Amino acid sequence: MTHWLGGVLDLLMFLALCAGILSGFPVVFILTGSAILFGALGWLMGVFSPALLGALAPRIFGIMTSEVLIAIPLFVFMGMMLERSKIAEDLLETMGRLFGGVRGGLAVSVSVVGALLAASTGIVGATVVTMGLMALPAMLRNRYDTGFACGTICAAGTLGQIIPPSTVMVILGEIISAAYQQAQLAQGKFSITTVSVGQLFAGSLIPGLLLVGLYIAYQLAAAWLRPELAPPLPPDARGTVERGALLAALAPPIVLIVSVLGSILGGIATPTEAAAVGAAGALLLAARRLSASRWPSLLAVLSAVALVALASSFDLRLGRAAPTATERLAILAALAASAGLAVSLAHAVWLSLRAGVLATVARSTLTITAMIFAMLIGATVFALVFRGLGGDDMVHAALSALPGGVTGALAAVMAVVFALGFFLDFVEIAIIVIPIVGPIILQMDVDPIWFGVLIAVNLQTSFLTPPFGFALFYLRGVAPAEVRTAQIYRGIVPFVALQLLGLALTALHPPLATWLPRALFGR
């Protein structure tokens, strides 16, 4: 009788969660509210022990003190500040002139810029809005098909979720690492292997670039087969691209990509340390737009290069017993370079404060970060109660009963994630679904990095699938009045298909996600 009641309550709890989500009520309140309600019902019926909630405080403390999750506000700050630095505007203008003479050239330039912005900011909303304001009017003015133009911009904006550094990969890294540890303990393994965010970054890089290639191939093929879809720009609209202008547009994002992503993949810095470097770099780039003076940027670059060179050549640790005279000079030079970098950052902070930019960016960062962490805490409460009611056993039995073994279970999880993308955003899906199904899937000896990358590619479609695709809302908010919502929805259909094709290719050929992490990190 008790087992039967527990089975009913865990199923009802999951159904109540789905119904609450469809009601439009904030997800964080639905998660915690349903957990409290069904936990109380289970306690009254004798199928749930409140003692299980004793693990809640340590878990919340672990979330709030996690060094990995500190990267989330830093990456969000970096993306918001880069939006103010106008990097996207320079890139779009330059790439538009570079590719404008080709059929579909403007669409290709949007995809290239989307990939560069994804690797330097990772913020979907900022990318879609910026390109919607700049690229969409230019594409419509040059007789591009409205749906094709809208789909191109929305799809390019979503690349920030799969091309690292990415906020969703940081969240997934923490969740999948916990799920993988649970799976190993359930298998009787006590020598635990962990999964790092850096490994997931490395695993998602090739599938992300694969998606960029699929987008560009489709754009060029569609424009070639249907010239009226995306005609080339007339010569007077193209102009010429000088080498200096191209270098000036490409240098800032490339330097930032190398500083942030290169340091993570090269094992030089953790994702949190690299995110701090990215936040400081974004602040310096924004300051370049707020002042005509170039000395702070030059001083920052020279100081950073000097620090890297000194750290790679000398032992700069302080407090050692007997450093050599050369090492003393190197330490003094490193202190001078650090002072130069501090002066540049202080100047950038002062400029952004005076212009009102820093306050706006800090407020946006605080809002987004609070939303993410609130949902992490709510999902922790839900997961504890759901497991206490026997939900893990129910999910395990359901996945094990599917035909096809591991392949069938994995396909079912991917189908559920894709379907939830019509109603939830990526954070909600990752926080709700992965803690429930992750440990069970990973007990089936599925590679955790491959699984994480598959989830990330799948989550990307949630930005494009109506009715709640956030990229569609972002573009609708800035698109001209003559662009109809139906045209936006029509335009994203081929790109959703391309994302599913990318997901299928990664699923059928796991080395796309596992080769680079093994080459860089030995797994």
Side-chain angles (χ1 to χ4, degrees):
M1 181 67 176
T2 299
H3 177 75
W4 180 83
L5 286 174
V8 171
L9 280 181
D10 56 23
L11 180 59
L12 289 177
M13 183 178 179
F14 183 76
L15 294 176
L17 174 67
C18 296
I21 288 170
L22 293 176
S23 72
F25 204 69
V27 173
V28 63
F29 298 123
I30 295 170
L31 283 168
T32 51
S34 58
I36 293 171
L37 174 62
F38 282 89
L41 287 174
W43 179 44
L44 290 173
M45 294 180 180
V47 295
F48 177 76
S49 172
L52 291 173
L53 296 179
L56 183 60
R59 289 197 183 191
I60 293 177
F61 185 78
I63 290 171
M64 303 309 295
T65 58
S66 170
E67 291 186 9
V68 174
L69 294 179
I70 293 174
I72 291 176
L74 291 171
F75 278 135
V76 173
F77 178 89
M78 182 178 76
M80 293 296 176
M81 190 59 77
L82 280 175
E83 182 187 6
R84 298 287 181 153
S85 68
K86 308 299 182 185
I87 284 180
E89 295 181 12
D90 291 344
L91 280 172
L92 278 170
E93 184 179 349
T94 305
M95 292 298 166
R97 292 203 305 267
L98 185 65
F99 295 110
V102 181
R103 290 180 188 175
L106 278 181
V108 172
S109 69
V110 167
S111 295
V112 172
V113 171
L116 288 171
L117 291 178
S120 53
T121 68
I123 304 296
V124 171
T127 305
V128 173
V129 168
T130 301
M131 292 197 290
L133 288 171
M134 294 193 60
L136 184 56
M139 296 169 88
L140 298 179
R141 192 166 54 248
N142 288 281
R143 306 188 314 280
Y144 267 59
D145 177 80
T146 303
F148 182 76
C150 292
T152 292
I153 290 172
C154 289
T158 64
L159 290 170
Q161 291 308 299
I162 185 63
I163 296 180
S166 161
T167 303
V168 69
M169 299 304 288
V170 176
I171 298 171
L172 274 177
E174 188 77 358
I175 294 173
I176 287 181
S177 180
Y180 191 39
Q181 292 177 37
Q182 290 179 34
Q184 292 174 91
L185 290 173
Q187 291 173 321
K189 299 177 182 178
F190 297 100
S191 178
I192 301 297
T193 303
T194 60
V195 177
S196 69
V197 174
Q199 290 171 323
L200 278 179
F201 278 1
S204 64
L205 184 59
I206 294 176
L209 296 177
L210 172 66
L211 279 178
V212 178
L214 291 173
Y215 291 169
I216 293 175
Y218 163 72
Q219 288 157 350
L220 292 176
W224 180 259
L225 294 173
R226 296 177 55 194
E228 74 282 359
L229 199 69
L233 270 64
D236 58 336
R238 290 200 301 268
T240 58
V241 181
E242 298 179 357
R243 185 177 300 175
L246 181 62
L247 183 61
L250 288 175
I254 288 177
V255 168
L256 202 63
I257 291 167
V258 171
S259 301
V260 178
L261 187 56
S263 62
I264 296 172
L265 299 184
I268 300 171
T270 65
T272 302
E273 293 165 346
V277 171
L283 188 62
L284 291 169
L285 288 175
R288 286 177 67 237
R289 288 286 184 173
L290 299 172
S291 172
S293 178
R294 290 289 177 262
W295 70 263
S297 300
L298 182 61
L299 177 61
V301 171
L302 292 176
S303 300
V305 170
L307 281 172
V308 171
L310 288 168
S312 60
S313 304
F314 301 98
D315 187 350
L316 301 179
R317 290 176 298 166
L318 300 175
R320 288 180 295 124
T324 64
T326 304
E327 288 174 339
R328 289 194 185 96
L329 288 174
I331 290 172
L332 290 174
L335 289 173
S338 299
L341 194 56
V343 168
S344 300
L345 286 172
H347 181 263
V349 168
W350 177 74
L351 283 177
S352 56
L353 269 174
R354 188 181 64 176
V357 171
L358 187 59
T360 303
V361 170
R363 192 176 299 111
S364 299
T365 302
L366 179 63
T367 302
I368 295 172
T369 304
M371 178 269 294
I372 292 174
F373 276 80
M375 282 201 288
L376 280 170
I377 293 171
T380 300
V381 180
F382 183 90
L384 276 174
V385 176
F386 187 72
R387 290 194 180 101
L389 293 172
D392 277 4
D393 296 334
M394 179 190 70
V395 174
H396 191 282
L399 292 178
S400 301
L402 290 171
V406 177
T407 303
L410 195 58
V413 170
M414 292 298 131
V416 168
V417 170
F418 177 73
L420 288 175
F422 285 83
F423 309 103
L424 302 178
D425 70 15
F426 72 97
V427 176
E428 295 164 348
I429 297 172
I431 290 173
I432 294 170
V433 178
I434 309 308
I436 295 174
V437 302
I440 298 161
I441 290 291
L442 295 177
Q443 285 180 49
M444 301 177 180
D445 293 326
V446 172
D447 188 289
I449 296 174
W450 179 56
F451 178 64
V453 172
L454 289 177
I455 292 291
V457 176
N458 202 342
L459 287 177
Q460 194 179 348
T461 63
S462 68
F463 280 91
L464 294 182
T465 47
F468 299 126
F470 282 89
L472 310 180
F473 288 152
Y474 295 141
L475 185 61
R476 176 65 277 174
V478 298
E482 62 269 19
V483 176
R484 302 191 306 275
T485 302
Q487 292 174 313
I488 298 177
Y489 284 4
R490 173 175 59 84
I492 56 92
V493 172
F495 292 95
V496 172
L498 290 172
Q499 289 178 344
L500 293 177
L501 175 60
L503 176 64
L505 291 173
T506 308
L508 293 172
H509 193 59
L512 286 172
T514 58
W515 174 79
L516 190 57
R518 284 175 180 157
L520 294 175
F521 300 99
R523 66 152 298 142

